[in-house]
Amino acid sequence: MPNISELELQNLRHLIGGFDTTHCKMKEYAEGAQDPQIKQFFEKGAQSAMQNKQQLMKFLG
């Protein structure tokens, strides 16, 4: 894998942090949801955010 620049590293860090925050928020919203469809919506959002975070983390490994 080619080396990434400092700017690219900062951008990755920013994106990973954003997806981590989104995952945590969506998970919390799902836990508080009463409606099963709303709960499922937030659970899927949390899962998607975690998958995106994991994909970006591969660039660091």
Side-chain angles (χ1 to χ4, degrees), residues 3-29:
N3 292 335
I4 59 175
S5 70
E6 187 173 339
L7 178 60
E8 290 169 325
L9 184 60
Q10 289 174 355
N11 287 337
L12 275 174
R13 190 188 72 180
H14 177 73
L15 289 169
I16 289 167
F19 281 122
D20 191 46
T21 300
T22 300
H23 171 259
C24 291
K25 286 183 177 185
M26 293 281 194
K27 191 174 168 187
E28 191 169 326
Y29 296 156

Side-chain angles (χ1 to χ4, degrees), residues 14-57:
H14 177 73
L15 289 169
I16 289 167
F19 281 122
D20 191 46
T21 300
T22 300
H23 171 259
C24 291
K25 286 183 177 185
M26 293 281 194
K27 191 174 168 187
E28 191 169 326
Y29 296 156
E31 290 171 3
Q34 300 293 323
D35 185 302
Q37 288 179 322
I38 301 286
K39 185 177 186 79
Q40 184 181 28
F41 172 81
F42 285 123
E43 286 173 343
K44 284 184 177 181
Q47 182 181 16
S48 177
M50 180 55 73
Q51 289 171 343
N52 289 333
K53 176 186 169 186
Q54 290 171 342
Q55 283 290 101
L56 290 173
M57 295 282 286

